[in-house]
Amino acid sequence: MSERGNHDRGRRARPSIKAMIGGDGARPRGRAQFDLRKRLLLVTGTLGLCSLALVGRALDLQVINNEFYRQQGDARALREIPIATSRGMITDRNGEPLAVSTPVESIWGNPQELLKHPQRLPDLAKALGMPVDELTRKLSQRAGKEFLYLKRRINPDEAQEILAHKVPGVFSQREYRRFYPQGEALAHVLGFTNIDDRGQEGLELAFDDWLRGKPGAKRVIRDGAGRIVESVDLVRAAEPGGDLTLTIDRRIQFLAHRELRNALQRTGASAGSAVVVDIATGEVLAMANLPTYNPNAVASTPVDHRRNRAVTDVIEPGSTMKPLTVAAGLEAGVITPTTLFNTNPGWIANGRYRTTDHKNYGILDTTGVIQKSSNVASAVIVHKLDNRFFHDFLARFGYGRKPGSGFPGESSGVLAPPAKWSGTTKQTMSYGYGLSATPLQIAMAYAALANGGQLLPPTFVKGERKEGQQVLDPAIAAQVMAMMQTVTETGGTATQAAILGYHVAGKTGTARKFNASGGYSRRYISFFAGVVPVANPRFSMVVVVNDPDPAKGYFGGLVSAPVFKSVMEGSLRLMDVAPDDIDTWLAAQAEAEAKRLKASGAKVPAPRSTAALAPATTAVTALVTALPIPVAEVTP
């Protein structure tokens, strides 16, 4: 076959291009057909619908139904942080600050953020003044938290030095720190606060709710590093704590603290307390205790030094009970002011024991029982009294129950009911053994004697008035006060408590301390309880000196009475209390002038009579009350 024929057969066997693409309207058999344009339209439409759905969803989430996701976002960026508030100020009765809150800074960190930058921890540890391993350990223990205090209550300048290192995740916040300007002198009365500014002891604890106030709160937005980028709103405004004005007089408090400290140094005693009370109102003007502590640096103080012994510690009151024993006898009618007591031979039996006097005083009248402090005569009086009557009489004066001052931890003392008395109890109680009381209780009992027999509850808050109770007939109270006045005069046991220009009524006391075996040791507690001035009583004061060195003297008239004199001399002048013994003052001045003239060789004028001096009494009274007390005596 020719080549031409073969070529023609091949051409006839292949379909034409037009036939293949259907140009002639023919469709190939056995193959799927598609429309490219329709497919493009379908894809475009699908994408458009998806875009529309996304836009709609975004509109729904961001505009229409955005509350849920907004809350979720806020939960991750919005924070509610506290607004610190200052604690109320405590002042004395004259407005002098005793406790104030000063602004400080606290450094805190975000452990999650800090642990992301371990290379910065050495710088931070150095700035904080702590070892790196300690800082790392603290952060690791709170790795899942967002807040950790790193250093609290520091000076703002110190805080800025720490922040200057710009360690990621380290911030500061404002707080307040308590400061006590009077330091040790008022530590036991005020107490102190903890690191969270909450009262822990003393009046800081008693009035914590009033002083603390209520912290506020605000909402802020923080960025990823924990920085505040925006304050959103105020949730709750901070309410500052209320101020508190005390009955304490800062000047008298310092006098009591100073003189008590001097007494402990002079006598070698281990502890002491002093309480000064305003007789007419029951206000506590001063309350000092030793040993004491610095409330501005509590951590380094032994716990035992923080105890307010004047309120919490009970002691056997010793001979300070004798005026009450005499008052009970007068009220029961078993004795009179002129009754005579035969104390020979200086002792009286008390079961298997003896009640003895310091020496044989022989025959004493009722005044002499108090002036000479006779245990024997007190025992004779109490034997004439019914047990229940004597118990109830002492209970009326506040023994055996809390004074009601509101001070935390105040003690009620011990006054056992007659059913629990042994055969010797009543006799020993007559001169201050077999019962116990706090120095505050003794001070209030003496204030009742001076206040016409009216017992007032003590108070530490100025302006607070509590209802008193009439516990003794005013006439009997006046009789006992006159007897107590002889204690500080010639022949009494507390002449060192006498104050020139004023009549002082008081009573010494010396009680033996218990030993480990349950008996009494040769260690002592020395007391003096007194009232001044007698004509118009203003102050009641109790001084307790615990465990003075016997070799240096331990009687109350020698150890505690001088403290009373020094404190009361200053207090009378500070409070402008008029003298009630001008004649003695004038006589002392005349004697001093005569000695001066004699020493200089001048002629000593003849002494004038009291009547001749009478016209000058009023002017001298004004002069004495106006005498200023040296600044060194009233300023810490």
Side-chain angles (χ1 to χ4, degrees):
M1 184 177 295
S2 65
E3 293 181 5
R4 180 179 177 85
N6 291 336
H7 177 74
D8 290 339
R9 286 195 299 270
R11 187 175 58 182
R12 286 195 299 271
R14 292 192 299 269
S16 65
I17 297 299
K18 186 176 181 179
M20 291 178 64
I21 64 173
D24 59 354
R27 295 181 178 179
R29 296 178 180 178
R31 295 189 181 184
Q33 302 296 317
F34 65 89
D35 189 332
L36 183 59
R37 186 171 59 182
K38 290 181 179 180
R39 178 169 290 186
L40 290 175
L41 290 174
L42 178 62
V43 171
T44 302
T46 303
L47 293 176
L49 289 173
C50 291
S51 299
L52 184 62
L54 291 174
V55 171
R57 181 59 174 162
L59 181 66
D60 178 66
L61 294 177
Q62 298 183 32
V63 179
I64 301 174
N65 297 313
N66 65 348
E67 184 65 22
F68 173 75
Y69 290 97
R70 186 175 65 82
Q71 292 177 353
Q72 292 298 308
D74 288 348
R76 290 160 174 77
L78 191 64
R79 292 288 185 272
E80 184 175 298
I81 62 174
I83 301 174
T85 185
S86 61
R87 192 173 177 86
M89 181 168 62
I90 301 178
T91 65
D92 80 342
R93 64 186 303 108
N94 300 311
E96 294 291 333
L98 304 179
V100 295
S101 291
T102 57
V104 292
E105 295 290 325
S106 288
I107 299 297
W108 66 276
N110 183 340
Q112 296 180 4
E113 183 70 17
L114 285 168
L115 290 173
K116 294 178 182 178
H117 304 85
Q119 73 281 1
R120 300 301 310 276
L121 295 184
D123 290 341
L124 178 59
K126 183 178 180 180
L128 294 172
M130 66 169 55
V132 180
D133 56 349
E134 181 181 348
L135 175 61
T136 304
R137 177 176 52 80
K138 288 185 175 181
L139 294 173
S140 299
Q141 290 174 346
R142 295 167 178 80
K145 306 294 183 179
E146 295 182 350
F147 185 91
L148 171 66
Y149 277 118
L150 299 175
K151 198 168 187 178
R152 297 192 67 181
R153 293 186 174 185
I154 59 176
N155 187 287
D157 292 339
E158 184 181 352
Q160 288 303 315
E161 292 178 2
I162 297 174
L163 294 175
H165 289 76
K166 296 183 178 180
V167 178
V170 177
F171 311 95
S172 70
Q173 72 178 33
R174 171 65 57 86
E175 289 191 304
Y176 291 88
R177 181 179 180 180
R178 207 64 163 163
F179 177 66
Y180 302 94
Q182 306 305 316
E184 296 181 348
L186 266 165
H188 294 103
V189 174
L190 298 177
F192 57 91
T193 60
N194 63 9
I195 197 169
D196 293 316
D197 217 21
R198 300 219 169 190
Q200 298 299 292
E201 290 190 17
L203 297 180
E204 289 277 27
L205 173 60
F207 295 94
D208 186 58
D209 290 341
W210 171 257
L211 292 167
R212 191 170 69 237
K214 297 180 180 179
K218 64 179 180 180
R219 289 192 181 95
V220 299
I221 295 177
R222 296 186 186 274
D223 61 14
R227 296 183 295 266
I228 297 176
V229 296
E230 181 183 355
S231 293
V232 178
D233 64 348
L234 180 66
V235 177
R236 183 178 60 258
E239 298 180 18
D243 293 338
L244 185 64
T245 301
L246 302 184
T247 59
I248 296 292
D249 188 302
R250 178 185 64 89
R251 302 164 300 175
I252 299 177
Q253 177 71 28
F254 176 70
L255 286 173
H257 174 76
R258 185 190 67 184
E259 296 304 322
L260 188 63
R261 181 184 58 203
N262 291 343
L264 264 63
Q265 293 174 348
R266 172 172 49 87
T267 63
S270 62
S273 297
V275 179
V276 181
V277 175
D278 188 306
I279 290 171
T281 63
E283 295 178 335
V284 179
L285 300 176
M287 181 176 284
N289 293 276
L290 289 172
T292 184
Y293 66 98
N294 183 358
N296 298 303
V298 178
S300 59
T301 305
V303 176
D304 182 62
H305 290 189
R306 304 176 194 171
R307 193 171 70 252
N308 188 346
R309 301 169 187 269
V311 175
T312 64
D313 285 19
V314 294
I315 48 180
E316 290 184 304
S319 293
T320 60
M321 284 297 300
K322 289 172 184 172
L324 295 182
T325 300
V326 169
L330 293 171
E331 181 177 282
V334 298
I335 62 171
T336 68
T338 59
T339 299
L340 298 179
F341 301 89
N342 184 1
T343 67
N344 288 302
W347 62 269
I348 188 174
N350 188 17
R352 297 185 296 110
Y353 306 96
R354 283 183 175 183
T355 292
T356 62
D357 282 338
H358 179 60
K359 66 178 184 178
N360 185 1
Y361 294 115
I363 305 297
L364 295 174
D365 61 8
T366 305
T367 297
V369 175
I370 295 178
Q371 182 186 34
K372 299 299 183 181
S373 193
S374 172
N375 295 336
V376 173
S378 297
V380 172
I381 294 173
V382 81
H383 277 302
K384 299 175 182 289
L385 300 175
D386 176 74
N387 288 2
R388 173 55 63 179
F389 172 83
F390 187 53
H391 172 274
D392 293 348
F393 183 87
L394 298 181
R396 269 190 271 154
F397 277 82
Y399 289 88
R401 58 184 170 87
K402 292 183 178 181
S405 68
F407 198 92
E410 68 175 1
S411 175
S412 61
V414 177
L415 179 62
K420 295 186 177 180
W421 292 359
S422 67
T424 62
T425 299
K426 186 169 72 169
Q427 183 165 319
T428 58
M429 285 174 61
S430 70
Y431 48 88
Y433 290 90
L435 76 165
S436 63
T438 65
L440 178 60
Q441 286 177 305
I442 299 173
M444 299 313 299
Y446 272 62
L449 288 173
N451 196 31
Q454 186 179 37
L455 179 67
L456 295 173
T459 178
F460 287 93
V461 180
K462 186 179 180 181
E464 183 181 37
R465 290 292 181 265
K466 298 181 179 180
E467 186 175 352
Q469 179 183 3
Q470 194 69 34
V471 297
L472 185 65
D473 183 89
I476 296 177
Q479 290 174 342
V480 175
M481 284 286 292
M483 297 176 189
M484 290 166 57
Q485 181 178 322
T486 64
V487 173
T488 63
E489 297 174 344
T490 303
T493 59
T495 56
Q496 293 193 47
I499 300 174
L500 183 62
Y502 298 88
H503 291 300
V504 177
K507 185 69 191 75
T508 57
T510 307
R512 291 170 64 179
K513 298 181 65 175
F514 277 114
N515 57 27
S517 61
Y520 287 98
S521 67
R522 290 294 177 182
R523 298 168 60 189
Y524 302 88
I525 301 177
S526 303
F527 305 89
F528 183 80
V531 172
V532 65
V534 174
N536 184 23
R538 181 65 187 276
F539 303 120
S540 170
M541 182 177 182
V542 170
V543 180
V544 179
V545 177
N546 196 331
D547 202 17
D549 184 353
K552 298 179 180 180
Y554 58 86
F555 289 111
L558 179 66
V559 174
S560 299
V563 178
F564 173 92
K565 176 183 178 178
S566 298
V567 176
M568 288 294 97
E569 275 186 329
S571 300
L572 290 164
R573 282 183 281 179
L574 285 169
M575 305 297 266
D576 293 329
V577 179
D580 65 343
D581 189 15
I582 284 294
D583 290 345
T584 302
W585 188 86
L586 291 173
Q589 296 303 309
E591 183 180 354
E593 179 66 12
K595 289 181 179 180
R596 187 186 66 81
L597 292 174
K598 185 176 181 180
S600 64
K603 182 179 179 180
V604 180
R608 289 183 292 173
S609 65
T610 302
L613 296 173
T617 298
T618 303
V620 173
T621 299
L623 175 63
V624 172
T625 57
L627 286 176
I629 189 168
V631 174
E633 294 189 11
V634 298
T635 304

